[in-house]
Amino acid sequence: MVLMSQAGSSQYIHYKIIQCKVRYNVVRSIASNMAESKKKEFFGSGRSSWNSLKVIRNMNLDGVVIGGRRGNQVIVFASPPTEDAVIATEPLTKEDLVGYLASGCKPKEKWRIGTEHEKFGFEFRTLRPMKYEQIAELLNGISERFDWDKIMEGDKIIGLKQGKQSISLEPGGQFELSGAPLETLHQTCAEVNSHLYQVKAVAEELGIGFLGIGFQPKWALKDIPVMPKGRYEIMRNYMPKVGSLGLDMMFRTCTVQVNLDFSSEVDMIKKFRAGLALQPVATALFANSPFTEGKPNGYLSMRSQIWTDTDNNRSGMLPFVFDDSFGFEQYVDYALDVPMYFAYRKKKYIDCAGLSFRDFMAGKLPCLPGEYPNLNDWENHLTTIFPEVRLKRYLEMRGADGGPWRRLCALPAFWVGLLYDEISLQNVVDMTADWTREERQMLRNAVPKYGLQTPFRDGLLKHVTQDVVKLAKDGLERRGFKETGFLNEVTEVSRTGVTSAEKLLELYHEKWGENVDPVFEELLY
């Protein structure tokens, strides 16, 4: 694992904040400091200099630190160890939080593609979900055979890290790869294939397989194991207070998402709006979760439907993104109003569920009286917000069901073709400019049930989707990396209007004799 020095980290973050020329005072203040000497840049007196240093030094870029070595293996503490960062002695300001988001801006030549995907592990013999003990054996096996560093929470292994890739566990043991930021879709698909090869090499020896689907098709909540992660215990206790389907989201869903960069605040806004408007299109194209507890559930994407009653304070279509006033600051205001889940101190998660981050910034958080947050706390808080598109120091497209490996490559191809090509992006912005708030919400509500057959204006969503897929293909062609083949899966879905979920339902009613068990073979990685 490569770790940056403290000075190197500071200079890097300082550069990133300067690079994004937004209108906020903290960024302008830091930019003006760049004209002065290096000494004054980092150690000058006054509130402005302190704010600059505070933004820089409170960040932990990797989110993990070395905890120790055993033999040739690195042991990594669970995410992020805020007590090891510089402790805030003054309150964070809203400008600091805005500056954190703004620091994500990158010139186009540095844009990258980050793909994350989850999958269900199950026992070949019984089809039951993997138990934690089996997961621990699997993680240890991958670490030892393929040289991954272990991530520990207490004495429990909860994940792996290798370079800029990580493997983590979702609440019900869903196995997630968070991929490295890569330049091309060929690299992305090679990463997926390498990951699946390594996982299968170890898992098959343990009698374990992995299923690519968006919702657990056979087992009830009571059958799903609970992972030994402190943050998930806090969420599990809080979820039933704010929605009826939050535990289903935690324990029985799998998704694939792609993380993409922006060059400026204006570029972020265009991509955010395009991504939100077209997220129902992605949900329909990748719909792949039609079964619950062994029977059809009435939806093509049950995973997407579940988010409609998980926690509406932290999910949804974010209509304010389409307001003329939208920018980094408005997203910060939104995020500050989302109730907290936890804070992380002394390698433990502190239950702050339902409390206000604004109170935390004022030193008035009941669970941590008198303490102020640092930017690691802010970074943690941003990960507990779950809209259809999420802003951190990059944008996350979050609307797709988990699926077979070809679709793991197809989702980033879809969004890269649309958002990383200026012509396609502008065409999407123009296409969706007159879509009303009510129409966008209607699509979000209807697509989980009707997929591409959702009525929209004078036709079906299928017809819009065909135009959108063509824009994505054109965008990939202009990139010049011969990546259009990764769209073959979704091109066929858009042409026919028949989703993976509908094909599974047909198999269930005909070839499978209304037995869901064969899906574990049909969608086996």
Side-chain angles (χ1 to χ4, degrees), residues 301-318:
S301 177
M302 186 63 184
R303 182 209 59 83
S304 182
Q305 177 62 22
I306 278 170
W307 278 109
T308 65
D309 193 15
T310 290
D311 182 348
N312 290 332
N313 285 325
R314 66 184 76 241
S315 61
M317 290 290 282
L318 305 189

Side-chain angles (χ1 to χ4, degrees), residues 354-427:
L355 300 179
S356 165
F357 202 93
R358 293 183 191 273
D359 287 345
F360 198 5
M361 291 176 67
K364 298 178 180 179
L365 203 63
C367 56
L368 289 169
E371 287 200 33
Y372 297 113
N374 57 40
L375 283 172
N376 279 332
D377 295 310
W378 177 239
E379 185 175 39
N380 262 344
H381 182 58
L382 292 176
T383 69
T384 69
I385 300 171
F386 309 120
E388 294 294 293
V389 176
R390 178 162 66 187
L391 175 62
K392 293 195 276 193
R393 285 187 289 170
Y394 45 86
L395 285 167
E396 299 179 346
M397 304 295 126
R398 297 173 42 83
D401 286 0
W405 76 265
R406 285 186 182 85
R407 294 193 197 117
L408 302 183
C409 303
L411 184 78
F414 177 77
W415 286 115
V416 166
L418 292 173
L419 303 186
Y420 271 9
D421 175 76
E422 293 177 8
I423 296 173
S424 289
L425 175 57
Q426 188 59 52
N427 283 333

